[in-house]
Amino acid sequence: MTAYRRFRHVIRVGPVQVATYNDDRGREKHTTACTAPGCGFSGDYEDRAAAELAAHTHRCTA
């Protein structure tokens, strides 16, 4: 079974998007993902501040 995630509170910091979702256990998680072609940067974080910090400090190599 595939995971269905509904993202909310989506913001964009340069090429990186930050969003909030609930995981399969109902806990709130935050994710970042770079949308530049060929970059592949992404990460899941416990709090929103860490996700936004990662988005602000990401330097895309693609």
Side-chain angles (χ1 to χ4, degrees), residues 3-61:
Y4 175 74
R5 294 195 173 105
R6 172 177 238 142
F7 295 104
R8 58 189 192 282
H9 304 290
V10 179
I11 64 166
R12 189 174 189 94
V13 179
V16 181
Q17 287 187 336
V18 179
T20 301
Y21 69 96
N22 289 336
D23 68 357
D24 56 346
R25 295 184 179 193
R27 295 175 297 196
E28 190 172 77
K29 298 281 186 156
H30 309 278
T31 189
T32 59
C34 185
T35 59
C39 180
F41 168 77
S42 66
D44 289 329
Y45 301 92
E46 295 293 323
D47 57 359
R48 181 75 182 202
E52 289 186 14
L53 179 65
H56 282 285
T57 59
H58 172 65
R59 298 292 174 243
C60 196
T61 58

